[in-house]
Amino acid sequence: MTGDNSQVLKLDDIPVVENDELKKVITAAGLGNAIEWFDFGVYGFLLITLSRVFFPGADPGVALIASMATFSVPFLFRPLGGAFFGFIGDKYGRKRVLSFTIILMSLSTFAIGLIPSYAAIGIWAPVLLLLAKVVQGLSVGGEYSGAVVFVCEYSPDKKRGFMASWLDFGSISGFLLGSVVVYLVTWIVGEPAMASWGWRLPFLLSLPLGAIGLYLRRQLDESPAYEAQEDNDRDKTSSLKKIIRKSYKGIILCCALVILMNTSYYMLLTFMPSYLEVNLHYNESHSKLIIMLVMTFMLLVQPLVGFLSDRFGRRAFLIAGAMGQFFLAIPAYWMIAHGNTWLLIAGLAILALILCCFTGVVASVLPALFPTQVRFRTLAVTFNISVVIAGLTPTVATWLVAAVEPLSRTLSLYIPAVYLMVTALCGLVAGVIMRETANRPLKDSLPIVSSRMEAREVLEEHFDHIEKRVEAIENKISELEEKRQNLVDQHPRLN
């Protein structure tokens, strides 16, 4: 359980994290995720408006693809941010990184609201937009991975699924808040003013949100798992080759799960609004309201999935979600494209429920795949390389639909479903082969509990486990002694 067979586990060695402290950690970490996805929500719901502000004069379809590309290109910089912040986080602590990334993220989002339009400064407008998104990519590269590691290293083993699920609850809340703000600002100032200057207001709100998040994070202590490391372990620098050799199975599983979750995420929450408006010709405000209702539904379901995963395991939800996505993606898109409002809502609800099977458990699974010494950097780099692939989803899906539509409009409407089916296969394989992580300590870490009483129970379980192993070894020794004696009896010179 401790990751070191020579270490004697004592009651005082087991970290106890009480609920009040854990709530502070979840709030501070979740707010950073909320700010990250607040920008994604604002940007996704303003795609058409931003395409007109930063790419005027272009064909509407080309301008939309360009805006999608501006959303996707910064994902290429996330692995670089993950490598840098991950190394700092493993060497100097998770808390320091999370304090810095939330500053960088909120400032870059705030800066988007200050960029002049194409009509004012020409080509420099989209260039500055891209630069701001690149800075976001660098900061987000360390933000989500750091928050996941921090929360999971803080959470009691028997509550990790439930606690980690609140991180993506923060993500969806931020996305929902961004979409609600866009909807309200549009309703207050009107469409003409929104296209002229109103689109800036949602981006400017990120600064006060970031200030609150920074204050909360600075009040936290370092994670118990990180503090439990010896100082000389933190100073050891593992080479890339050594990390890959020791953690290649975790890296492969992480890639598959991240691609599965984020492809579904971006397809539903970023691509879907423009799909409803451009391809299915829904009213812009109507389509955005529907997506907001879907996100509200997800907020209710996701923590429940995390809670149940502590009872029934993570693998069950990953496998069920992947199978559901493979077999129900096309029926769901048929409902969405049917033209009936209730069928539309049902189709979106199916996709949202499937997505909750991933977002409710993945955050608690990923940190368990890697050892503490290199957990942050390995997870950050692997996660963000995978997100690069998934982050292309809105751009690629938009392009595929546009490319296939001249050949067959009906077929073009189902291209996103086929896209989801392919990623579902990756997730299904990962769910089948991965080891269950529920109710177990993180790799090479001490157990973490929520009370002194639970610590005693864990210690008793640990001793019971040792007794069973000792008994199994003694039985094995007896069997070997019998085999030895049988062989000795058969040899004349050994008797």
Side-chain angles (χ1 to χ4, degrees), residues 28-50:
L31 186 56
N33 283 359
I35 294 173
E36 172 189 345
W37 283 90
F38 175 81
D39 169 71
F40 289 165
V42 169
Y43 197 93
F45 274 66
L46 286 174
L47 267 175
I48 295 176
T49 299
L50 294 176

Side-chain angles (χ1 to χ4, degrees), residues 27-28 31 35 102 206-218:
T27 302
L31 186 56
I35 294 173
I102 199 169
S206 65
L207 195 61
L209 290 176
I212 296 172
L214 177 62
Y215 171 79
L216 292 175
R217 289 184 173 184
R218 290 180 67 86

